[in-house]
Amino acid sequence: MCLQRLFSTFPDGWPGLGLLLLRLGIGIALIWLGLSGFWETLGETSTTVRNLVAAAGGILLVAGLWTPLIGILLAVDQLWIALSLYRSQREEQWIHVLFVVLTVGVAMLGPGAWSIDARLFGRKRFDI
């Protein structure tokens, strides 16, 4: 239950729905970005690993599993991509900066009530 300490609450209702939409938006975008980049740069090892991290992290964000840890991992990955000197197009760096801000926000807010984290690590109520 040590992962429960990473979350302050598991909000439901409108705040929980907002967190779910935020997780879905970021996760689906990262899955698409990671998979499309994976097939384009299949031969380059470092780029392939970064794209797999983005796609796998997006899947875990959509599911709401290990949200704070995955959010920070994805933020570091996207920051690395944004600051990379080896990219061909400098215009696309801003989408990665946006992903950094959004994934850090999700990591700080937590997964919400509609997530695997809430089912596994959420607060339990015992009636005596």
Side-chain angles (χ1 to χ4, degrees):
M1 289 286 192
C2 71
L3 194 58
Q4 181 183 8
R5 293 184 181 142
L6 293 174
F7 310 113
S8 57
T9 62
F10 294 95
D12 56 356
W14 287 110
L17 182 62
L19 285 171
L20 175 65
L21 290 175
L22 189 60
R23 281 192 356 253
L24 284 174
I26 299 166
I28 290 170
L30 284 171
I31 292 167
W32 178 82
L33 189 69
L35 289 179
S36 65
F38 174 77
W39 295 116
E40 290 174 7
T41 61
L42 197 54
E44 303 171 24
T45 306
S46 65
T47 308
T48 302
V49 169
R50 282 195 318 237
N51 289 325
L52 283 176
V53 167
I59 290 169
L60 291 174
L61 271 185
V62 167
L65 183 60
W66 302 319
T67 307
L69 304 174
I70 295 300
I72 296 300
L73 174 71
L74 287 172
V76 169
D77 179 54
Q78 294 300 309
L79 187 63
W80 180 266
I81 292 170
L83 299 177
S84 176
L85 300 176
Y86 302 105
R87 282 202 345 264
S88 60
Q89 297 176 350
R90 297 299 290 175
E91 305 87 42
E92 72 181 28
Q93 76 183 5
W94 296 111
I95 191 71
H96 297 289
V97 171
L98 177 66
F99 284 145
V100 169
V101 171
L102 292 175
T103 53
V104 167
V106 166
M108 289 171 31
L109 291 172
W114 294 299
S115 66
I116 295 175
D117 280 340
R119 300 291 178 243
L120 294 176
F121 308 110
R123 305 211 188 280
K124 309 288 190 265
R125 181 177 176 174
F126 296 106
D127 292 325
I128 298 176

